[in-house]
């Protein structure tokens, strides 16, 4: 009877530890996504988004290298950010995350394995991360276009608008 009790106790404790470790991992992922969203929300340029994304991913996954490539579909890369800044990983990246928005491919994130195991490409964490990146790039792109248009438009009451009147 004592052996059965001990066997059941060992199995139950093992399952409880497994559930607790999954809960801790989920909590860590949720905190990371919150911190990433907060960091990306205040940025005004696509280059700042790319650098922040690369730095945060390198910290989170303890990756040997992270590369964020920003490009319009069918065009050559318009911006590349790497962490660490002195170079990129050797060989082929271990994970490649496409960054997609409603109009298509915005860019991609390349991750090289470091001290921690990288999640599978189809993991919810990496999908959410790519979605956050796409939203941040789109928001900053729209902001940059708006600022460019405002700079190109003469202010009301200037000579060009007065001459048309």
């Amino acid at each position: 009877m004592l052996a059965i009790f001990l066997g059941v106790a060992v199995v139950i404790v093992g399952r409880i530890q497994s559930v607790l470790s999954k809960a801790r991992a989920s909590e860590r992922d949720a905190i990371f996504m919150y911190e990433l969203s907060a960091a990306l929300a205040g940025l005004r340029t696509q280059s700042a988004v790319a650098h922040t994304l690369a730095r945060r991913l390198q910290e989170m996954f303890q990756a040997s290298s992270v590369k964020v490539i920003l490009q319009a579909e069918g065009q050559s890369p318009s911006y590349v950010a790497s962490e660490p800044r002195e170079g990129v990983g050797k060989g082929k990246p271990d994970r490649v995350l496409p960054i997609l928005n409603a109009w298509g491919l915005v860019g991609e994130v390349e991750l090289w394995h470091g001290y921690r195991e990288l999640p599978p490409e189809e993991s919810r964490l990496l999908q959410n991360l790519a979605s956050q990146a796409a939203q941040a790039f789109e928001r900053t792109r729209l902001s940059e276009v708006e600022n460019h248009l405002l700079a190109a438009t003469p202010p009301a009451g200037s000579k060009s608008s007065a001459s048309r009147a």
Side-chain angles (χ1 to χ4, degrees):
M1 192 70 115
L2 183 59
I4 293 172
F5 177 74
L6 277 170
V8 169
V10 167
V11 169
I12 289 175
V13 167
R15 288 194 179 190
I16 289 172
Q17 287 178 338
S18 173
V19 168
L20 283 175
S21 69
K22 286 180 183 177
R24 283 188 196 112
S26 292
E27 178 186 22
R28 185 183 67 239
D29 292 349
I31 290 170
F32 170 73
M33 287 304 298
Y34 171 77
E35 290 173 347
L36 179 66
S37 296
L40 295 177
L43 301 176
R44 300 288 175 239
T45 65
Q46 292 189 342
S47 63
V49 169
H51 280 292
T52 300
L53 186 60
R55 184 174 29 84
R56 293 289 179 129
L57 291 175
Q58 200 271 333
E59 291 170 2
M60 169 67 176
F61 297 120
Q62 308 257 312
S64 62
S65 186
V66 176
K67 186 175 175 183
V68 178
I69 302 167
L70 179 61
Q71 68 186 55
E73 195 166 351
Q75 296 179 4
S76 61
S78 59
Y79 196 80
V80 177
S82 299
E83 272 303 320
R85 291 182 190 242
E86 58 267 2
V88 296
K90 305 262 190 285
K92 189 176 177 183
D94 296 304
R95 298 287 183 277
V96 177
L97 307 171
I99 301 174
L100 303 166
N101 67 12
W103 295 282
L105 184 67
V106 176
E108 67 182 22
V109 175
E110 297 177 351
L111 296 164
W112 282 264
H113 184 352
Y115 297 110
R116 287 185 54 200
E117 187 66 32
L118 295 173
E121 287 186 35
E122 64 277 352
S123 73
R124 180 185 292 172
L125 175 63
L126 293 183
Q127 290 174 357
N128 288 341
L129 194 147
S131 174
Q132 283 291 321
Q135 291 173 8
F137 281 129
E138 184 60 22
R139 180 183 45 75
T140 55
R141 186 185 72 79
L142 291 173
S143 176
E144 288 174 352
V145 167
E146 180 181 1
N147 289 339
H148 180 70
L149 289 174
L150 288 174
T153 305
S158 68
K159 288 186 176 185
S160 61
S161 62
S163 64
R164 287 185 213 142

